[in-house]
Amino acid sequence: MIGYAVGLGNVWRFPYLTYNNGGGAFLIPYVIMLALAGLPLFFLECSMGQFSSLGPVSIWRILPLFQGVGITMVLISIFVTIYYNVIIAYSLYYLFASFQRELPWSKCSISWADGNCSRSPFVTHCNVSISINETFQANKSWVDANNLTCINGSEVYQTGQLPSEQYWNKVALQRSSGLDETGVIVWYLALCLLLAWLIVGAALFKGIKSSGKVVYFTALFPYVVLLILVIRGATLEGASKGISYYIGAQSDFAKLKDAEVWKDAATQIFYSLSVAWGGLVALSSYNKFNNNCYSDAIVVCVTNCLTSVFAGFAIFSILGHMAHISGKEVTQVVKSGFDLAFIAYPEALAQLPGGPFWSILFFFMLLTLGLDSQFASIETITTTIQDLFPKVMKKMRAPITLGCCLVLFFLGLICVTQAGIYWVNLIDHFCAGWGILIAAILEIIGVIWIYGGNRFIDDIEMMIGAKRWIFWLWWRTCWFVITPILLMSILIWSVIQFRRPKYGQIPYPNWGVALGWCMITFCIIWIPIMAVINIIQAKGNIFQ
């Protein structure tokens, strides 16, 4: 479960959010949202899965009206696994590219860089004088070609693109101009994607028996790397400057008045713990009936949040050093998401002595972080198949699992074309957004308000033993009132704040946005469809 909850977001999203939302001050809303939204949902899902020993679709036998919620969770998981493995493929590509004496993005190479490739600002225009009375502004390349010199102080500077940025766009992705221009399949990314799916298939072919052993490595290894990176980062010049931006003297408590900060904290907790994807129900359905799922929930949630905070030190100490070398402010080098993982951080590592070693470590860490989250998502899909066709799955678990991986590999090929990154961004923008929020709200309403919160608490006590009323007071308050209200507020806020997706400065065409809406509608539409089907099939009239 820790492997599932701790993923790429802990490293590439949380540190940036903390820095962006007032540094150390952000930890206050973060911890509050963990207690009010994260933990109650996590505990709810673990208990549901363990009590029923069923996956995310079949569990809704407790409330057939809401069976579509389980289908929505599984469909969203399928969409996410398609692009999540593409990110793992990027990490594999960079991992292999790091096995060189000098990192390929450490300097502007003639084979792929253009005139804008530069670590420092460069002159584009300047004033020149031809005679005593006549000066005019000219292009710098024209000035050089005519053996003239610029008048001091008249130079016009332009900031260059970092070599790592050009390497990412021109070599790794071979990025096209937009979603309209699909281009060809980038063969080496396709091979990396195939390798990523082979690893997932190999780890999962015996189900939870084989993945349970692999996860001991993939869940624990990132901590070793983070520790090494923190120690290395702390010894570098300028590290303290980076840390002070992250969590130290630059913390801004005035930001706590801003609603956006609280929304960011709640959303980050929500996505980081992987609640409402169906994975927690699927994983806990394999637990023994009397396992203490309460302590599991606490341990996993606290570990997940501490990992996020710890990862921030590894990221910001090294970015602080990079800012120090390049003479920039930390604010100019900090990035989030793909830009952090594949541009800013590799750029910083390229400037360290022994760059390839640090780069191999970092990308191997990204690989293991991504893989165990991916294992659990595929496990969600196979658990659903097992619930629907138990006899078939018993005989043919390995071929069915490998078949799933193969189908998802072919579906993911669109994400390794030259327009691949736009597709990854599009699926992420629509599917991993508020489809999950809708599923979570309906899940908590279904279990606590319709199935009955007190009945649910009796079920939990059957597993973990009776507790005093004061123990349940907090959980009742959250489940019945606070968590649903919080989730609804975030949902309304995200719908109001919804903007058309864009990648960097490149907007998406109308058909791309329409396709995004179709994807999320396809995921959510099963909630009303299954409700109607189950009402029609049930005996008695609608009131009964």
Side-chain angles (χ1 to χ4, degrees):
M1 274 189 156
I2 287 175
Y4 180 43
V6 176
L8 294 168
N10 298 62
V11 171
W12 79 13
R13 196 174 142 82
F14 176 81
Y16 179 78
L17 277 181
T18 306
Y19 146 79
N20 214 16
N21 289 320
F26 180 66
L27 295 180
I28 296 168
Y30 188 67
V31 171
I32 292 172
M33 289 300 172
L34 168 67
L36 298 179
L39 255 176
L41 266 173
F42 201 93
F43 182 30
L44 177 101
E45 289 208 355
C46 293
S47 312
M48 279 168 70
Q50 184 173 311
F51 185 80
S52 65
S53 295
L54 293 169
V57 176
S58 302
I59 194 163
W60 289 102
R61 287 174 198 168
I62 64 164
L63 183 58
L65 190 69
F66 278 30
Q67 197 175 6
V69 176
I71 297 175
T72 295
M73 288 177 176
V74 174
L75 285 176
I76 292 178
S77 283
I78 290 172
F79 273 115
V80 171
T81 48
I82 291 171
Y83 81 81
Y84 205 77
N85 234 17
V86 174
I87 301 170
I88 295 173
Y90 295 156
S91 308
L92 276 169
Y93 172 75
Y94 269 80
L95 177 67
F96 296 141
S98 303
F99 282 95
Q100 297 180 41
R101 188 163 291 164
E102 189 180 43
L103 291 172
W105 56 87
S106 59
K107 55 176 191 279
C108 300
S109 162
I110 303 164
S111 58
W112 47 262
D114 60 24
N116 291 337
C117 182
S118 168
R119 281 207 170 92
S120 50
F122 57 89
V123 180
T124 54
H125 294 82
C126 66
N127 293 347
V128 287
S129 66
I130 298 175
S131 61
I132 297 165
N133 303 329
E134 196 182 349
T135 61
F136 62 92
Q137 195 178 49
N139 192 319
K140 181 72 168 69
S141 51
W142 183 86
V143 174
D144 293 342
N146 289 296
N147 287 339
L148 298 167
T149 48
C150 293
I151 297 171
N152 270 348
S154 70
E155 295 92 347
V156 177
Y157 285 93
Q158 183 186 328
T159 48
Q161 275 186 325
L162 293 170
S164 60
E165 187 177 347
Q166 293 218 342
Y167 183 82
W168 164 242
N169 285 322
K170 295 181 173 210
V171 182
L173 297 178
Q174 294 189 22
R175 184 160 69 89
S176 68
S177 59
L179 196 65
D180 289 320
E181 190 191 338
T182 306
V184 295
I185 289 178
V186 182
W187 65 270
Y188 41 82
L189 285 183
L191 286 177
C192 289
L193 182 63
L194 181 63
L195 178 60
W197 277 116
L198 286 172
I199 296 170
V200 173
L204 283 176
F205 79 104
K206 282 189 181 164
I208 210 96
K209 288 194 186 88
S210 54
S211 65
K213 295 183 179 72
V214 179
V215 164
Y216 274 108
F217 174 72
T218 58
L220 297 174
F221 182 75
Y223 291 99
V224 177
V225 179
L226 280 175
L227 185 65
I228 295 170
L229 288 173
V230 166
I231 294 168
R232 178 69 186 113
T235 59
L236 296 168
E237 253 186 308
S240 56
K241 196 174 168 188
I243 298 297
S244 82
Y245 264 92
Y246 170 48
I247 221 160
Q250 304 281 345
S251 293
D252 177 10
F253 285 89
K255 286 232 178 179
L256 295 183
K257 294 179 196 156
D258 186 358
E260 186 79 26
V261 171
W262 291 84
K263 180 234 160 195
D264 274 350
T267 324
Q268 177 60 16
I269 274 288
F270 185 75
Y271 292 125
S272 178
L273 289 174
S274 307
V275 278
W277 298 87
L280 295 177
V281 176
L283 289 178
S284 47
S285 70
Y286 294 99
N287 278 345
K288 290 188 174 71
F289 186 76
N290 294 109
N291 172 55
N292 189 344
C293 52
Y294 171 70
S295 59
D296 284 358
I298 302 282
V299 168
V300 175
C301 290
V302 171
T303 307
N304 178 57
C305 295
L306 291 176
T307 306
S308 298
V309 176
F310 188 57
F313 288 101
I315 299 291
F316 271 82
S317 56
I318 289 183
L319 289 182
H321 173 66
M322 177 173 147
H324 174 78
I325 299 176
S326 55
K328 292 177 179 167
E329 280 301 309
V330 178
T331 46
Q332 291 172 287
V333 296
V334 178
K335 296 273 191 292
S336 119
F338 293 116
D339 290 351
L340 171 78
F342 300 109
I343 298 174
Y345 211 70
E347 176 65 32
L349 295 175
Q351 296 179 34
L352 293 181
F357 171 72
W358 302 112
S359 185
I360 290 165
L361 263 189
F362 174 70
F363 287 111
F364 197 55
M365 176 186 79
L366 282 191
L367 177 68
T368 50
L369 275 175
L371 277 174
D372 44 23
S373 301
Q374 187 73 348
F375 293 160
S377 301
I378 302 294
E379 197 61 59
T380 310
I381 299 165
T382 53
T383 304
T384 307
I385 297 172
Q386 186 174 344
D387 286 346
L388 297 174
F389 311 104
K391 286 177 185 158
V392 179
M393 200 62 176
K394 205 162 195 175
K395 283 185 209 154
M396 300 176 61
R397 175 176 274 281
I400 288 174
T401 307
L402 295 173
C404 284
C405 291
L406 191 66
V407 170
L408 290 166
F409 163 70
F410 283 118
L411 289 173
L413 283 177
I414 185 83
C415 297
V416 288
T417 57
Q418 287 175 289
I421 190 81
Y422 304 112
W423 284 100
V424 169
N425 199 39
L426 184 76
I427 303 173
D428 182 54
H429 190 87
F430 281 96
C431 289
W434 24 273
I436 288 292
L437 278 165
I438 293 169
I441 293 166
L442 289 175
E443 177 180 57
I444 203 162
I445 288 173
V447 173
I448 300 299
W449 292 359
I450 304 178
Y451 173 74
N454 293 331
R455 275 170 81 183
F456 186 59
I457 286 170
D458 290 343
D459 293 345
I460 298 174
E461 287 189 330
M462 226 190 275
M463 298 187 291
I464 64 171
K467 301 277 186 226
R468 299 186 45 196
W469 68 272
I470 195 122
F471 172 87
W472 291 114
L473 186 65
W474 168 258
W475 298 104
R476 276 198 169 97
T477 317
C478 286
W479 283 338
F480 278 94
V481 187
I482 300 174
T483 312
I485 290 174
L486 252 176
L487 291 173
M488 284 176 198
S489 323
I490 301 170
L491 178 65
I492 293 163
W493 180 279
S494 7
V495 171
I496 294 169
Q497 287 285 316
F498 183 81
R499 292 188 183 87
R500 281 178 70 108
K502 55 182 189 179
Y503 178 79
Q505 294 306 312
I506 300 165
Y508 276 71
N510 290 334
W511 66 268
V513 178
L515 193 67
W517 284 109
C518 289
M519 280 191 284
I520 192 62
T521 309
F522 173 69
C523 294
I524 298 170
I525 196 92
W526 297 98
I527 299 173
I529 288 177
M530 292 312 292
V532 171
I533 290 174
N534 283 327
I535 288 171
I536 292 168
Q537 285 179 347
K539 288 175 184 154
N541 65 41
I542 192 154
F543 293 106
Q544 291 168 326

